[in-house]
Amino acid sequence: MTSSLQQQIQQFYDTSSALWEQVWGEHMHHGYYGATGRHRKDRRQAQVELIDRLLGWGEVTQASHILDVGCGIGGSTLYLAEKYQALATGITLSPVQAERATERAIAAGFTNLEKTPQASFQVADALNTPFEDNQFDLVWSMESGEHMPDKRQFLQECFQLLQPGGTFLMATWCHRPTNSLAGPLTPDEQKHLKEIYQVYCLPYVISLPEYERSLKKLAFKT
Ligand SMILES: C[S@@+](CC[C@H](N)C(=O)[O-])C[C@H]1O[C@@H](n2cnc3c(N)ncnc32)[C@H](O)[C@@H]1O
């Protein structure tokens, strides 16, 4: 990853995470508001429902070693560790987030090495992680893929970290498919995306079919 993008992302989350936590709570991602997107519900409940919908979609009924890639302040990490009584590790580019996530894990009793569930956090780059291959039976990425400057390398890294038969679940920002009648992105759409990239420190996003192609090449079963 180019260090300037990495530094920008780190600074972005180092400086904004306390505010995000005040406004959005421990989950720094969107929520599930029903199939139409219009169900009125509590913000936190919608965020947790999004997590559960994703787990349901992936048919995850158990997990023992979980990696949360781009963990924020550990909202999903602790939720998943508790739900599956598992050992969970979260990685982020932001030292401030890793510290806050660790504080939250300690406060919630997730750091006793003699007990499960457990959760720990570290600063690490998802494109070049410090972990051995085949370590995790669930690799989770909630709204972090959009930050990755090399989507293929990101998916490759996640693939290598998974145990055979493990599950990779990702929710990420995408632009619309361009292989339909609507055709390539219009100049207006590109301009709009560029503004989003600038505000949120994103290199670029891709479409769902592009993700699907990359995942199939890596022999993921989609
Ligand atoms: C929008 S936040 C989502 C946080 C968390 N997944 C959640 O849902 O609460 C994006 C996260 O991705 C992390 N991130 C971005 N690029 C990363 C990279 N290359 N390696 C590790 N983490 C990364 C950021 O540090 C941040 O924690």
Side-chain angles (χ1 to χ4, degrees):
M1 173 183 293
T2 60
S3 67
S4 67
L5 175 66
Q6 191 163 342
Q7 281 162 3
Q8 278 171 33
I9 295 171
Q10 178 200 316
Q11 277 165 15
F12 177 68
Y13 286 108
D14 275 354
T15 53
S16 64
S17 289
L19 180 62
W20 284 90
E21 188 176 358
Q22 267 176 38
V23 178
W24 278 25
E26 77 272 35
H27 297 288
M28 298 183 170
H29 59 83
H30 290 82
Y32 180 73
Y33 292 88
T36 60
R38 292 179 181 210
H39 288 191
R40 294 180 73 89
K41 62 178 79 152
D42 170 72
R43 184 245 332 131
R44 186 173 184 282
Q45 185 198 340
Q47 290 172 314
V48 171
E49 273 181 37
L50 180 65
I51 296 176
D52 281 332
R53 296 283 303 193
L54 193 52
L55 292 169
W57 180 82
E59 298 176 1
V60 179
T61 52
Q62 55 181 26
S64 57
H65 290 81
I66 300 170
L67 179 65
D68 184 357
V69 183
C71 62
I73 60 166
S76 294
T77 329
L78 298 192
Y79 182 79
L80 295 170
E82 174 74 32
K83 185 174 179 101
Y84 297 112
Q85 293 297 297
L87 310 182
T89 305
I91 60 170
T92 167
L93 287 179
S94 157
V96 169
Q97 287 190 329
E99 201 175 313
R100 178 70 189 121
T102 303
E103 269 174 22
R104 295 185 59 254
I106 293 169
F110 282 76
T111 51
N112 182 341
L113 299 183
E114 268 145 41
K115 282 193 184 157
T116 36
Q118 274 175 39
S120 64
F121 297 90
Q122 56 188 282
V123 174
D125 181 2
L127 299 187
N128 183 20
T129 67
F131 309 113
E132 304 269 318
D133 289 356
N134 307 325
Q135 287 289 298
F136 302 96
D137 53 0
L138 175 61
V139 175
W140 174 266
S141 166
M142 176 59 84
E143 297 193 12
S144 64
E146 55 270 32
H147 283 296
M148 307 300 164
D150 186 333
K151 312 292 185 205
R152 208 167 281 183
Q153 193 184 331
F154 167 55
L155 299 176
Q156 166 89 52
E157 186 76 21
C158 293
F159 188 71
Q160 281 175 208
L161 294 173
L162 270 183
Q163 292 166 5
T167 302
F168 171 56
L169 284 175
M170 169 172 73
T172 189
W173 299 6
C174 292
H175 66 61
R176 68 166 173 79
T178 50
N179 59 352
S180 67
L181 271 183
L185 298 176
T186 66
D188 255 12
E189 287 171 331
Q190 287 176 25
K191 181 168 170 284
H192 188 52
L193 281 171
K194 223 169 160 185
E195 286 161 4
I196 295 174
Y197 298 162
Q198 274 169 2
V199 174
Y200 292 101
C201 292
L202 310 181
Y204 62 95
V205 300
I206 59 176
S207 66
L208 212 47
E210 286 173 282
Y211 272 113
E212 204 175 351
R213 275 199 294 277
S214 291
L215 289 166
K216 281 193 171 137
K217 274 194 196 141
L218 284 169
F220 270 106
K221 219 167 78 195
T222 52

